[in-house]
């Protein structure tokens, strides 16, 4: 069979089989999956919450060391390598690369939750002025420096060894400084398989959140009461059809246009919310939140509420860290593709700093504006959340703005665009990773066959449905925390390998050999 000839069996079958089993259990025996997932969640958070906090914080330090040490001036691709895009375009892509379903779901919701139900260890009362001012600082803990340090770390660990070490474009190459040629053998295949297993679980979480928001948003906006299971199935079915078709046909280029259009949708929503959501309060509260965040970042990064033990840290901070870690390998691969000709220092500045700035703006605008409406008693958002669930927060917020119907339509567009672009890009990435490189090189378009794309695309949709059937948002959070643990361990070894490659960068930098050969050739010519 052509399918079996082209796939890398060690990379393809382990995650495929495990994910198929989990998906079938979730669809046909949802209670069984829920019970098992909750036990895994309790084991992971109670036993390894400290590990997530320590690892995520160490990645921040790692990025700063990598970018601003003496190794920061090393140019990716060699000293004569030229960037393939302008700095402005690179900055813009980095600014939006972390934008996905998550910020659409949580943009107004999380600051409001921190306002109405602040963590018990903060000592703040619900709906108080103090809670209003502190809400953004806790939100920034989850969405600002830490997540992008995690993404940047994953990219850094592969960028040098790929461009300068001339290794294969695969995650396992990042381990080459530690394990040598094994990175291209069975060990490398298993490393890639683990990453795929975790990634599909993470994508299931992201897609599930998007479907949950879209389904509840439909019932909220239209005043209907459609059965949630049926609505989930319909939405997922339509989205899977779109992104799988795009991945397998010429529509792929159209998805790139959708991705660009999505950015404009975000900007329109941001500007509209800023102008009509209480501009002065947004400015004051955002700067206050940034200041509080920067003053508490070290303390809160390592805080695990050992005595309070309310579950807030595990259900929020650890959940987010695990989410970012789960996606980090594939986001890192994406960031590497943009970095040729740039120095390591530039890589860190653009991929860490630029998205953090956008995070401050996005959550500062939507979060502050939503809180301002609730303080004024005119929003009704908290009441809607209590009645319909946190997934309707965005639509409840948008109904308070001028031209509400238009804004709500744009809100739905942001969800759909984010859903399709994320799933389509990851379908292509996973399909290519699970195929043999030599077989891909024989194909005219150098891409995985449609059969492999269809398999992974459909499986991601089924995973999202299985998780939603097994406990909704709680199941989504549980899945991503459990899936993130093996990736965290992997990233630690990748970081160690990177440090080794930097300390011995002359040994691992194959571009220097090319320069020496060129110099010798010039001497011989003379």
């Amino acid at each position: 069979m052509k399918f079996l000839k082209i796939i890398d069996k060690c990379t393809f079958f382990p995650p495929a089989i495990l994910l198929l089993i989990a998906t079938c259990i979730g669809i046909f025996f949802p209670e069984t999956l829920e019970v098992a997932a909750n036990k895994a969640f309790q084991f992971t958070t109670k036993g390894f919450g400290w590990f997530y906090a320590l690892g995520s914080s160490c990645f921040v330090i790692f990025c700063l060391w990598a970018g601003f040490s003496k190794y920061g001036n090393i140019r990716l691709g060699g000293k004569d390598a030229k960037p393939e895009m302008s700095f402005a375009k690179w900055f813009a892509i980095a600014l939006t690369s972390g934008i996905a379903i998550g910020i659409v779901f949580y943009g107004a919701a999380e600051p409001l939750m921190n306002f109405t139900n602040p963590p018990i260890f903060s000592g703040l009362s619900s709906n108080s002025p103090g809670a209003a001012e502190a809400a953004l600082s806790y939100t920034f803990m989850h969405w600002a420096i830490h997540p992008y340090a995690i993404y940047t770390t994953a990219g850094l660990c592969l960028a040098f060894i790929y461009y300068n070490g001339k290794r294969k474009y695969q995650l396992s190459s990042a381990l080459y400084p530690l394990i040598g040629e094994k990175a291209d053998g069975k060990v490398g295949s298993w490393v890639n398989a683990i990453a795929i297993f975790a990634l599909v679980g993470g994508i299931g979480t992201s897609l599930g959140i998007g479907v949950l928001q879209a389904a509840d948003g439909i019932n909220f906006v239209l005043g209907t009461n459609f059965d949630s299971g049926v609505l989930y199935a319909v939405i997922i079915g339509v989205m899977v059809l779109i992104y799988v078709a795009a991945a397998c046909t010429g529509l792929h280029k159209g998805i790139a246009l959708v991705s660009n259009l999505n950015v404009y949708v975000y900007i329109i929503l941001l500007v509209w919310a800023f102008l009509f959501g209480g501009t002065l309060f947004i400015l004051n509260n955002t700067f206050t939140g940034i200041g509080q965040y920067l003053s508490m970042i070290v303390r809160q990064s390592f805080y695990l509420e050992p005595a309070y033990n309310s579950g807030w840290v595990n259900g929020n901070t650890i959940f987010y860290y695990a989410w970012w870690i789960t996606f980090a390998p594939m986001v890192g691969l994406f960031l590497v593709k943009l970095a040729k000709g740039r120095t390591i220092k530039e890589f860190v500045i653009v991929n860490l700093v630029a998205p953090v700035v956008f995070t401050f703006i996005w959550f500062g605008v939507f979060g502050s504006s939503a809180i301002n409406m609730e303080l004024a008693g005119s929003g009704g958002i908290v009441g809607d959340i209590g009645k319909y669930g946190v997934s309707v927060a965005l639509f409840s917020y948008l109904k308070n703005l001028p031209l509400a119907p238009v804004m709500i339509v744009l809100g739905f567009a942001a969800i759909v665009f984010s859903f399709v672009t994320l799933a389509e890009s990851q379908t292509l990435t996973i399909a290519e990773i699970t195929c043999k490189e030599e077989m891909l090189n024989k194909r005219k378009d150098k891409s995985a066959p449609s059969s492999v794309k269809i398999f992974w695309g459909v499986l991601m949709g089924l995973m999202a449905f299985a998780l939603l059937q097994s406990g909704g948002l709680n199941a989504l959070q549980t899945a991503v925390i459990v899936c993130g643990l093996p990736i965290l361990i992997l990233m630690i070894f990748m970081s160690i390998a990177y440090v080794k490659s930097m300390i011995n960068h002359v040994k691992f930098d194959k571009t220097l050999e090319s320069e020496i050969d060129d110099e010798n050739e010039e001497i011989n010519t003379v």
Side-chain angles (χ1 to χ4, degrees), residues 320-343:
Y320 285 115
Y321 289 171
W323 197 3
W324 311 136
I325 289 168
T326 301
F327 272 98
M330 296 308 166
V331 174
L333 285 167
F334 169 73
L335 297 179
V336 167
K337 280 294 188 180
L338 307 174
K340 184 178 180 180
R342 303 295 180 179
T343 65

Side-chain angles (χ1 to χ4, degrees), residues 211 215 225-237 465 469:
V211 172
N225 191 28
F226 294 122
D227 179 78
S228 59
V230 174
L231 202 52
Y232 295 157
V234 171
I235 294 173
I236 290 175
F465 182 74
Q469 289 292 91

Side-chain angles (χ1 to χ4, degrees), residues 35-334:
V35 171
N38 285 334
K39 288 182 178 179
F41 174 83
Q42 293 298 326
F43 171 77
T44 305
T45 54
K46 286 185 177 180
F48 298 96
W50 63 271
F51 190 38
Y52 278 113
L54 177 62
S56 301
S57 299
C58 285
F59 292 145
V60 177
I61 299 171
F62 172 83
C63 287
L64 296 176
W65 168 79
F68 299 99
S69 68
K70 63 181 181 180
Y71 307 113
N73 293 322
I74 294 176
R75 190 168 298 279
L76 299 173
K79 68 176 186 179
D80 296 324
K82 303 297 181 184
E84 297 179 346
M85 64 182 67
S86 68
F87 189 88
K89 184 177 180 180
W90 183 38
F91 187 89
I93 294 175
L95 194 68
T96 58
S97 63
I99 296 175
I101 294 169
I103 65 167
V104 180
F105 188 96
Y106 288 102
E110 186 173 346
L112 272 179
M113 290 188 288
N114 293 337
F115 167 57
T116 57
N117 292 292
I120 188 173
F121 53 78
S122 69
L124 298 169
S125 301
S126 299
N127 305 305
S128 65
E133 294 180 355
L136 283 181
S137 62
Y138 290 107
T139 302
F140 292 150
M141 277 300 305
H142 304 149
W143 293 87
I145 294 175
H146 280 76
Y148 292 104
I150 292 168
Y151 288 164
T152 303
T153 295
L156 276 173
C157 291
L158 183 61
F160 173 79
I161 206 67
Y162 170 65
Y163 283 117
N164 298 59
K166 300 187 182 299
R167 305 305 303 179
K168 291 182 179 180
Y169 182 68
Q170 59 185 18
L171 185 65
S172 59
S173 292
L175 297 176
Y176 175 77
L178 283 183
I179 63 176
E181 296 298 331
K182 292 180 180 178
D184 293 333
K186 289 187 176 181
V187 174
S189 295
W190 280 100
V191 166
N192 294 327
I194 292 171
I196 290 167
F197 174 81
L199 177 66
V200 174
I203 290 176
T205 298
S206 292
L207 300 188
I209 285 175
V211 172
L212 185 67
Q213 188 176 30
D216 290 348
I218 289 171
N219 281 329
F220 172 74
V221 172
L222 300 180
T224 53
N225 191 28
F226 294 122
D227 179 78
S228 59
V230 174
L231 202 52
Y232 295 157
V234 171
I235 294 173
I236 290 175
V238 172
M239 293 298 103
V240 168
L241 184 62
I242 293 173
Y243 70 72
V244 169
C248 296
T249 67
L251 289 175
H252 174 64
K253 295 180 179 179
I255 293 298
L257 296 176
V258 171
S259 180
N260 292 332
L261 182 59
N262 201 18
V263 175
Y264 292 112
V265 171
Y266 287 143
I267 292 173
I268 292 171
L269 290 171
L270 263 179
V271 172
W272 203 254
F274 178 74
L275 293 176
F276 299 101
T279 304
L280 184 58
F281 183 87
I282 289 172
L283 290 170
N284 290 335
N285 198 55
T286 299
F287 279 100
T288 297
I290 293 172
Q292 291 185 353
Y293 165 63
L294 294 177
S295 68
M296 67 186 267
I297 186 171
V298 175
R299 169 174 54 84
Q300 202 61 37
S301 294
F302 295 97
Y303 183 68
L304 297 169
E305 55 171 350
Y308 280 108
N309 198 27
S310 69
W312 190 92
V313 170
N314 286 340
N316 288 273
T317 307
I318 302 303
F319 159 64
Y320 285 115
Y321 289 171
W323 197 3
W324 311 136
I325 289 168
T326 301
F327 272 98
M330 296 308 166
V331 174
L333 285 167
F334 169 73

